[in-house]
Amino acid sequence: MDILSNSTIPYAGGLILLWWLYRLVKDRRSNPNRLPLPPGPKGYPIIGSLFDFPTYKPWLVYDKWFKTYGDMFYFEVLGQPFLVLGSVERTYDLFEKRSSNYSDRVRMPMLIEMMRWEYNMAFLPYGNWWRRHRRLFHDHFHPNIVDKYKDVQIDTARAFLRRLLKTPDDFMHHVRHAFGSSIVKVAYGITIEEENDPFVINGEIALGGLAEAGNPGTFLVDYFPIMKHIPDWFPGAGWKKKAAWWRHINGVVANRPWNQLKDQVKAGTAEPCIATTLIGQLPDEDAPNFPEEDLLSRDTCAVAFVGGADTTVSTVQSFFMAMCLYPEVQKKAKAELDNVLRGRLPEFNDRPNLPYINAMIKESMRWQLVLPLAVAHMCTNGDEYNGYYIPKGTIVIGNGWTILHDPEVFDDPLTYNPDRYLKDGKIDPTVRDPNVAFFGFGRRICPGRYFSENSLFTYVTHLLAVYDIRPGLDKDGKEVEIKPEMTNGLLSYPEPFSCRITPRSKEAEDLINNSSLMG
């Protein structure tokens, strides 16, 4: 919880006591029926479960707590209530059936007010401003329009194959570059540089900050917003320097490409893209509503970039790891591809004929989640549910990791096994789809999910059509053991690992080299 770097906690004792007393009085008034709180760790007076609050891979800790308290548990930390949900039934009941009361976001001073992530609608409070962001984004990424981006996705996938051929050891970087390339082209019409592109670099820094600060309570200022006003020179205020650096990067990510496109539009040199469409729809610059509409359009492009350039990156990187660990899965996928493609590279219209590949995409999403806890929701008003009282302002978390690793639903859930989704050679609709948790919940589900799934199909098929993926070798020529470990944080990525990526044949290498000439 960044307690060490927030060493001002001794000075906040009186504030904590007053806050606790305030919460105690308020909760008693708002729960007139004296319903019990949901089960969970009781903690201590005032501080609650502060010492039990998990900050390292909390989804795994919560998964263990479900075994003690059931599929829903409650706890408090410094007066802030938390409710964690561990089943599809619970997330559906609250995030879907009661979405009007469970679609808000908790105030996150570190992430929003200090790091300035307010351009990302995923963190905006539930209300009209969020709805306008969501509606505008949906206009450009709904399922009936994402097909227009397929040519860009194919082109960047094939460029990805060529980069892998030159420097296969840099595959982790190439994955990030490929996704950054496609979404920057779609959103801004810009072709990024082959090496050290500022869009990719700044996006990676910004998302690294999001991964660190995105889970509520990671920084003490989330509990005590008044700490924002602590001077930078104050002992223990090193976290403010972090915030300032990330705030600068977020300003660059949100503003630089948007301003660049506006200049290109004025000069008549801009390529058609989402940004040019939005700029063309803006009112005159002297119109009273211009600043608001300009900000809304800028945010739409910026959130497309940070979402499209990153969330699916983790899944594809995990896919490389799975191929190293499960060669029999790779063999099955290649056999299916070879039967359908017959010596050519894949296209989107091949998808209906590739059931095993579609099962792999589902399993890649399920196996290692990029957002194991999604983004936390907040209870807008006190609620009664299943005989329990849920206080107003409760942070409500859906543990997607638990939902997609439930051993009663998925046999041997830690194993990567696409066959679990198949029956009689077709996708089995009775098996739990990872979409129930992978992209979030309720009204706050990721609106870019259709673009993301298309990207996954493109990269999985192109990789397996032409490359063999195996574990790396140590100095003695033996395959290095790979452990499927993921990083901590709101966004989770595979821990670094090595693998060998080599063309399947001379014919495959020719396909890679000639891919830039294909339609």
Side-chain angles (χ1 to χ4, degrees):
M1 191 182 291
D2 204 36
I3 294 176
L4 294 178
S5 63
N6 288 281
S7 58
T8 52
I9 189 171
Y11 307 102
L15 182 63
I16 294 174
L17 178 60
L18 290 173
W19 174 249
W20 181 74
L21 292 173
Y22 165 74
R23 289 298 304 251
L24 186 64
V25 172
K26 187 178 76 168
D27 288 348
R28 286 181 176 176
R29 288 178 178 175
S30 60
N31 184 13
N33 296 327
R34 295 293 189 267
L35 291 174
L37 296 168
K42 299 304 178 185
Y44 300 94
I46 302 179
I47 64 172
S49 298
L50 175 65
F51 299 125
D52 295 320
F53 183 66
T55 57
Y56 181 74
K57 297 187 177 179
W59 55 92
L60 299 181
V61 178
Y62 294 153
D63 187 65
K64 293 179 180 178
W65 289 5
F66 289 129
K67 295 175 176 59
T68 301
Y69 304 110
D71 62 355
M72 176 179 73
F73 61 81
Y74 174 96
F75 64 94
E76 293 187 5
V77 175
L78 298 174
Q80 172 61 61
F82 289 80
L83 181 69
V84 186
L85 312 175
S87 69
V88 171
E89 293 74 22
R90 299 298 190 191
T91 56
Y92 184 79
D93 282 350
L94 298 187
F95 296 144
E96 293 285 351
K97 290 184 178 180
R98 306 188 186 191
S99 58
S100 61
N101 194 44
Y102 290 92
S103 294
D104 209 351
R105 295 298 196 208
V106 66
R107 180 184 176 187
M108 297 182 69
M110 180 66 174
L111 192 71
I112 306 301
E113 298 162 34
M114 302 191 70
M115 294 169 59
R116 303 306 298 269
W117 268 97
E118 76 274 14
Y119 67 85
N120 190 332
M121 64 181 172
F123 307 113
L124 290 177
Y126 186 64
N128 187 55
W129 187 235
W130 169 78
R131 290 188 190 94
R132 293 182 63 191
H133 277 77
R134 178 91 178 191
R135 190 179 305 119
L136 189 58
F137 188 95
H138 178 78
D139 287 345
H140 295 277
F141 287 95
H142 62 76
N144 294 326
I145 202 170
V146 291
D147 284 358
K148 68 187 290 187
Y149 309 131
K150 285 181 175 178
D151 286 346
V152 172
Q153 290 173 305
I154 289 286
D155 287 345
T156 53
R158 293 177 180 179
F160 171 60
L161 298 182
R162 297 191 295 274
R163 284 194 294 273
L164 277 177
L165 189 62
K166 293 179 180 178
T167 51
D169 291 342
D170 295 334
F171 70 98
M172 288 289 223
H173 167 73
H174 293 326
V175 172
R176 186 173 295 279
H177 183 281
F179 279 91
S181 176
S182 63
I183 195 60
V184 168
K185 190 71 172 180
V186 166
Y188 299 107
I190 295 173
T191 301
I192 67 174
E193 299 172 11
E194 285 293 322
E195 300 291 339
N196 300 316
D197 184 84
F199 287 104
V200 176
I201 293 171
N202 290 326
E204 188 170 358
I205 295 171
L207 287 156
L210 174 61
E212 184 170 341
N215 282 324
T218 303
F219 288 83
L220 201 59
V221 68
D222 288 337
Y223 294 109
F224 303 105
I226 197 172
M227 292 177 64
K228 293 192 306 177
H229 305 293
I230 293 174
D232 293 355
W233 50 263
F234 198 80
W239 54 277
K240 295 198 72 176
K241 294 180 180 178
K242 284 186 175 182
W245 169 239
W246 285 326
R247 181 168 62 250
H248 165 71
I249 292 296
N250 273 320
V252 172
V253 168
N255 292 310
R256 182 172 293 173
W258 179 247
N259 292 333
Q260 179 178 329
L261 254 293
K262 288 202 291 187
D263 290 340
Q264 290 180 358
V265 168
K266 290 179 180 178
T269 58
E271 292 188 17
C273 58
I274 294 174
T276 56
T277 299
L278 294 176
I279 291 169
Q281 295 172 350
L282 289 175
D284 293 338
E285 291 189 5
D286 56 355
N289 64 333
F290 175 81
E292 184 174 283
E293 295 298 328
D294 182 69
L295 182 63
L296 182 65
S297 298
R298 182 210 71 169
D299 291 355
T300 298
C301 292
V303 73
F305 168 59
V306 296
D310 195 77
T311 51
T312 317
V313 166
S314 174
T315 306
V316 172
Q317 291 174 342
S318 296
F319 171 77
F320 275 97
M321 185 162 61
M323 293 303 95
C324 290
L325 292 170
Y326 299 93
E328 70 283 0
V329 171
Q330 185 176 172
K331 183 178 179 180
K332 285 184 180 181
K334 288 176 177 177
E336 182 179 78
L337 283 167
D338 290 348
N339 184 55
V340 172
L341 300 181
R342 299 188 180 279
R344 61 176 173 83
L345 290 176
E347 302 285 352
F348 276 100
N349 57 15
D350 294 315
R351 189 165 187 177
N353 302 315
L354 298 169
Y356 194 79
I357 291 294
N358 289 317
M360 288 182 74
I361 291 169
K362 292 180 182 293
E363 184 69 343
S364 297
M365 294 165 64
R366 185 204 67 83
W367 187 52
Q368 304 289 358
L369 278 72
V370 61
L371 285 161
L373 298 178
V375 180
H377 294 225
M378 188 181 73
C379 178
T380 304
N381 296 299
D383 194 18
E384 297 180 8
Y385 172 63
N386 207 38
Y388 296 110
Y389 177 68
I390 302 174
K392 175 181 179 179
T394 297
I395 295 174
V396 186
I397 300 170
N399 191 338
W401 194 93
T402 291
I403 290 171
L404 295 181
H405 290 79
D406 184 347
E408 294 185 6
V409 177
F410 300 104
D411 183 51
D412 195 10
L414 296 181
T415 297
Y416 184 94
N417 178 21
D419 282 307
R420 70 175 82 247
Y421 286 101
L422 295 169
K423 183 178 181 180
D424 299 327
K426 298 179 181 180
I427 295 294
D428 185 353
T430 66
V431 180
R432 178 176 294 173
D433 194 292
N435 281 308
V436 300
F438 183 82
F439 290 109
F441 305 96
R443 296 183 185 179
R444 304 304 293 245
I445 192 170
C446 173
R449 59 193 182 277
Y450 308 107
F451 183 87
S452 176
E453 283 201 76
N454 282 347
S455 294
L456 275 176
F457 172 80
T458 307
Y459 286 92
V460 166
T461 53
H462 275 77
L463 277 168
L464 295 182
V466 295
Y467 281 114
D468 288 322
I469 303 171
R470 290 166 289 187
L473 302 177
D474 62 18
K475 61 181 180 180
D476 297 321
K478 296 181 179 180
E479 289 190 346
V480 176
E481 180 184 3
I482 296 176
K483 296 181 179 180
E485 295 290 339
M486 302 293 285
T487 62
N488 185 40
L490 176 69
L491 302 172
S492 186
Y493 305 92
E495 293 282 4
F497 65 97
S498 65
C499 67
R500 288 174 292 155
I501 305 167
T502 56
R504 294 175 58 186
S505 63
K506 178 62 170 63
E507 290 76 16
E509 186 172 351
D510 290 340
L511 271 179
I512 297 167
N513 285 321
N514 295 327
S515 60
S516 62
L517 305 177
M518 299 176 184

